[in-house]
Amino acid sequence: MFTFELIKQCSQTGARAGILHTPHGDIKTPVFMPVGTRAAVKALTPAEVEETGAQILLANTYHLYLRPGASIVKEAGGLHAFMHWGKPILTDSGGFQVFSLNALREIGEEGVTFKSHMDGSLHLFTPEKAVQIQQDLGADIIMALDECTPYPSPYDYTKTSMERTHRWAERCARAQTREDQALFGIVQGGTYPDLRRESARAIDALGLPGNAIGGLSVGEEKQTMYAMLEEVTPLLDAHKPRYLMGVGTPDCLLEGVARGVDMFDCVLQSRTARMGTALTSRGKRNMRNARFAHDFSPLDPACDCYACRNFTRAYIRHLVNMGEILGATLLTIHNIRFSVSLMEEMREAILADRFAAFREEWLAQMGYVS
RNA sequence: GUGGGUGUAGCUCAGUUGGUUAGAGCGCCAGGUUGUGGCCCUGGAGGCCGUGGGUUCGAGUCCCACUACUCACC
């Protein structure tokens, strides 16, 4: 079953190391989770994803509900069998997509009505339905339906929306019938400290197996996001995993862990890879740049990924500029491995109680101002 | 050799009856991308308009010569 084992806490920051036990295996935290929205990490085979050291993948309820449909995934034997991924999977509820992809939507107490971005057909997502679909998909961790409040939003709307998200989370919990899936609630509250605290208390009080923090990294300043994390994490059960949704730049990973976050997911690694950007230990690099044309060194000399062990910057630049699929594949492998590796090193540092120094070193060498 | 066509940005081309600072696509250069509507978005550089002369207030646009390429026929 699903449990979280807290192994070590940093003596100077809020950083923690732990182990998540799931039906499909253990996950060492802190962890970076690559995104495979439509049951595929774009440009990679599951074998390639596994070689990056990824311990768990994300998939998306909204996208899989529209195509191919939850019933087909269920018929296939669930997501793990369907996509041939034997390790843990987390499905996002689709709340974010409903609110970010659809101009035509209507939010009510019952749920949210929206038009499919695929064919314009009308759909109603309720907390109960979001859980039902996720039960059919069969991930190890499932998410409550929430409203990701846009930034900026006025206080009153943020509060109204947040309270509804709390009620929806409770309905999700009641609707759940499968016992082998861990349901996480999601803290909202925008950029208002008091609402964030209120939301953290309310979500934590539901007693779910994990707590997520949503509605951040939606346009606000990083300092604001960090400030919100500092309001929220101290109020969440220390013996349950904390998941910061959608956040994944290297500096945010370091700062998030420092504030007690255990899980992260982000499309940045895979999306920017397809557009030609490499995340490296010395900051990000635009591999389309002419200065790499004659550069026959690896993407990141400090990286041990398949791309860095076997290919040069000049070659990858060529692939990216030519639009070759292999360019996207190699950069995706690298960006994911880089992020997974960063988390592994953070974990080592936490276990050795030298995380604070580790964070400073990395922020400095990657060119971030802390 | 004769007749026709074409020479405008790195490439392929548009440029109204002559009228401000000559445009597009691609390419090139750079930036962006944070719970993914995959191969996208934004910005920038770059042109003695084949050469020389003429007509005109004014020529990428009209006229002449030259030149290069190209097609057809000898």
Side-chain angles (χ1 to χ4, degrees):
Chain A
M1 285 307 298
F2 187 93
T3 54
F4 178 64
E5 198 180 332
L6 184 58
I7 293 176
K8 173 99 181 178
Q9 280 184 279
C10 173
S11 60
Q12 300 175 63
T13 72
R16 8 190 277 147
I19 299 177
L20 267 170
H21 301 282
T22 84
H24 287 86
D26 291 350
I27 299 165
K28 292 176 177 174
T29 64
V31 63
F32 171 74
M33 311 182 282
V35 180
T37 304
R38 301 192 283 200
V41 174
K42 298 181 197 304
L44 301 192
T45 63
E48 288 168 330
V49 175
E50 190 156 358
E51 202 191 322
T52 66
Q55 308 181 75
I56 169 173
L57 289 187
L58 245 75
N60 191 275
T61 302
Y62 169 86
H63 289 280
L64 293 173
Y65 159 78
L66 291 178
R67 297 279 191 285
S71 62
I72 289 181
V73 175
K74 185 179 184 181
E75 188 183 334
L79 267 179
H80 295 88
F82 189 51
M83 65 186 287
H84 187 60
W85 176 256
K87 294 187 174 183
I89 297 174
L90 180 156
T91 45
D92 189 8
S93 66
F96 182 79
Q97 279 62 42
V98 167
F99 295 104
S100 71
L101 306 182
N102 296 277
L104 281 170
R105 61 172 188 256
E106 211 176 292
I107 311 158
E109 185 59 31
E110 177 61 13
V112 55
T113 307
F114 61 94
K115 266 184 145 176
S116 160
H117 73 272
M118 303 286 310
D119 58 11
S121 55
L122 218 54
H123 300 268
L124 169 68
F125 254 39
T126 62
E128 292 75 17
K129 186 159 183 179
V131 166
Q132 180 54 53
I133 297 167
Q134 293 188 86
Q135 293 195 142
D136 288 346
L137 295 176
D140 300 84
I141 299 172
I142 65 178
M143 302 302 298
L145 183 69
D146 67 328
E147 177 184 355
C148 179
T149 323
Y151 175 80
S153 284
Y155 185 91
D156 288 348
Y157 182 78
T158 305
K159 185 174 171 65
T160 301
S161 163
M162 174 196 80
E163 288 168 346
R164 184 165 49 216
T165 287
H166 296 167
R167 291 191 293 274
W168 284 4
E170 214 174 327
R171 282 167 60 187
C172 282
R174 277 202 301 273
Q176 192 183 10
T177 54
R178 275 181 73 157
E179 294 179 351
D180 58 344
Q181 293 180 298
L183 171 69
F184 282 28
I186 304 172
V187 173
Q188 288 290 339
T191 50
Y192 303 101
D194 65 313
L195 294 184
R196 281 285 167 183
R197 288 193 296 273
E198 184 182 339
S199 191
R201 287 193 194 93
I203 293 298
D204 187 71
L206 295 173
L208 296 171
N211 296 304
I213 303 162
L216 289 176
S217 192
V218 288
E220 79 284 3
E221 292 292 310
K222 283 181 179 178
Q223 291 307 322
T224 305
M225 174 171 83
Y226 301 150
M228 292 305 112
L229 289 179
E230 286 162 19
E231 297 291 343
V232 170
T233 53
L235 301 175
L236 298 175
D237 191 336
H239 295 280
K240 286 176 184 172
R242 301 162 181 161
Y243 163 30
L244 177 54
M245 306 184 76
V247 173
T249 62
D251 57 328
C252 290
L253 292 176
L254 286 156
E255 299 293 3
V257 167
R259 289 164 177 78
V261 175
D262 309 298
M263 306 162 70
F264 303 82
D265 80 281
C266 198
V267 303
L268 188 90
Q269 281 68 7
S270 44
R271 175 187 285 159
T272 60
R274 293 195 303 281
M275 302 302 157
T277 298
L279 304 176
T280 79
S281 55
R282 302 287 165 174
K284 71 176 177 180
R285 291 208 178 93
N286 183 343
M287 296 312 297
R288 292 167 300 183
N289 286 177
R291 69 180 203 269
F292 298 122
H294 301 274
D295 189 337
F296 300 101
S297 63
L299 227 41
D300 185 346
C303 181
D304 61 359
C305 83
Y306 173 75
C308 289
R309 286 192 325 249
N310 301 291
F311 303 92
T312 64
R313 292 173 182 173
Y315 179 61
I316 288 170
R317 172 178 189 270
H318 160 68
L319 294 176
V320 169
N321 284 342
M322 290 302 96
E324 285 291 338
I325 296 170
L326 183 57
T329 298
L330 293 177
L331 279 175
T332 301
I333 285 173
H334 169 75
N335 282 352
I336 291 179
R337 174 59 195 158
F338 170 77
S339 304
V340 166
S341 175
L342 177 59
M343 303 311 284
E344 289 171 355
E345 291 185 42
M346 274 195 245
R347 191 170 198 275
E348 290 301 309
I350 294 165
L351 293 175
D353 203 21
R354 52 177 177 78
F355 176 78
F358 177 90
R359 169 173 61 150
E360 291 312 315
E361 284 166 27
W362 272 79
L363 288 175
Q365 78 172 21
M366 289 191 293
Y368 292 105
V369 188
S370 61

